[in-house]
Amino acid sequence: MVDITERKLAEERARQQQERLQSTARLVAMGEMASSIAHELNQPLAAISSYCTGAANLLRNRAPATDVVPALDKAVEQAQRAGNVIRRIYSLARHGENRLERVHLGAHIDAALALMEVDIRQKSIRVTLDLEEEAVVEGDPVLLEQALFNLLRNAVESMRDTAPDQRQIHIALSCTDGYVVLTVADRGCGIDARVADKLFDPLFTTKAEGMGMGLAICRSVVENHRGRLSFEANPAGGTVFRILLPMAPQ
Ligand code: ADP
């Protein structure tokens, strides 16, 4: 006769441990989801607020309607963008899968730049582009644009202490060996070797106002599209972020 009580107890402990781990993982995933929604909505809401403040100030100063309309048009655009984010989340929650379309990345770079237009102008950042027309991938346009936007926003924010005449972002899009390569190069503060391996962790941030979700979202979007996200030091100073995505079949 062999006493198996000890073994049974050990198995039970292992099972409970496993259950605890799983529920922690679910909680972490929910937390990540909640902060990523907050992150995606924050930008359009901030833009709506500033366009409406601008419009109100113009009206207070009795500016002609033709001056006010463009600000309101932009506020409407941003409200639609926020609506798109919500719709995407609904449809992800319902189907648990991404929408698949042919996505011309160049057009989405333009759209992401338009969203950052005010910041870029205020900070006198020079943006140069080298975009290949045929750079088409298969994927979800809203998620991909969000990933581009996050890289662009980080590039803008990295140049806070860069001399104004050195502030430059170069965005390049090319196709090689069945892959689309997108690079966003800034002349910002660069990335300290001590934090390089934490950069993509959710909630990791070095900014006072940062949420630390931008790169985590960016990486999960890129990997969900069977791609890779990486970064390296910019030889001219600053950092280059690189997205590699499989080209869409012809
Ligand atoms: P957040 O922007 O809210 O901090 P991110 O996940 O987008 O969150 O970025 C995490 C951290 O990575 C940033 O706080 C910053 O330290 C660093 N980082 C990201 N992009 C750049 C960049 N282009 N140049 C320098 N540091 C960067």
Side-chain angles (χ1 to χ4, degrees):
M1 284 253 285
V2 183
D3 183 0
I4 58 165
T5 321
E6 232 356 89
R7 202 174 78 208
K8 282 254 181 267
L9 278 176
E11 276 172 14
E12 179 57 19
R13 270 199 300 272
R15 197 188 56 77
Q16 280 174 358
Q17 167 90 357
Q18 188 61 28
E19 246 169 36
R20 265 199 305 274
L21 269 180
Q22 272 169 8
S23 74
T24 313
R26 266 198 303 277
L27 277 180
V28 171
M30 273 164 59
E32 277 176 23
M33 180 74 162
S35 19
S36 76
I37 295 169
H39 179 90
E40 290 190 30
L41 288 179
N42 218 19
Q43 168 69 22
L45 289 178
I48 291 169
S49 161
S50 75
Y51 286 127
C52 289
T53 308
N57 284 340
L58 286 169
L59 288 174
R60 264 187 220 105
N61 295 326
R62 309 202 186 293
T66 44
D67 287 359
V68 183
V69 169
L72 292 178
D73 281 342
K74 294 215 160 150
V76 170
E77 249 173 53
Q78 295 294 326
Q80 281 163 351
R81 178 179 159 81
N84 278 340
V85 171
I86 303 270
R87 264 191 296 285
R88 291 276 318 112
I89 289 162
Y90 273 145
S91 73
L92 270 182
R94 270 202 306 268
H95 310 296
E97 61 191 35
N98 297 343
R99 214 162 71 196
L100 275 191
E101 280 176 25
R102 287 176 70 79
V103 182
H104 288 261
L105 283 181
H108 290 276
I109 291 173
D110 289 341
L113 276 169
L115 292 170
M116 289 297 295
E117 184 196 325
V118 177
D119 262 320
I120 289 173
R121 200 166 0 97
Q122 273 172 357
K123 297 183 171 128
S124 337
I125 298 173
R126 207 151 56 87
V127 178
T128 54
L129 301 172
D130 182 7
L131 309 181
E132 206 167 297
E133 280 281 315
E134 301 82 68
V136 182
V137 300
E138 200 171 48
D140 184 310
V142 177
L143 292 179
L144 287 167
E145 189 176 307
Q146 183 71 43
L148 297 176
F149 173 80
N150 291 356
L151 290 189
L152 190 62
R153 201 198 45 164
N154 280 340
V156 167
E157 290 177 353
S158 76
M159 294 192 285
R160 216 168 277 172
D161 297 327
T162 305
D165 62 338
Q166 300 290 312
R167 292 181 189 159
Q168 190 185 336
I169 298 177
H170 182 67
I171 306 178
L173 188 58
S174 61
C175 305
T176 31
D177 298 334
Y179 280 88
V180 170
V181 186
L182 168 88
T183 52
V184 178
D186 62 58
R187 300 281 184 86
C189 55
I191 288 163
D192 194 309
R194 280 168 300 184
V195 299
D197 58 344
K198 302 194 199 83
L199 227 57
F200 296 141
D201 291 353
L203 307 181
F204 175 81
T205 182
T206 58
K207 301 172 191 166
E209 313 265 287
M211 204 153 18
M213 288 307 295
L215 288 178
I217 293 171
C218 193
R219 185 171 65 172
S220 69
V221 168
V222 170
E223 290 183 352
N224 272 322
H225 286 78
R226 294 175 292 124
R228 284 274 161 276
L229 172 67
S230 59
F231 62 88
E232 68 221 19
N234 185 350
T239 315
V240 182
F241 275 83
R242 182 184 310 274
I243 291 180
L244 201 71
L245 288 165
M247 257 176 107
Q250 289 303 312

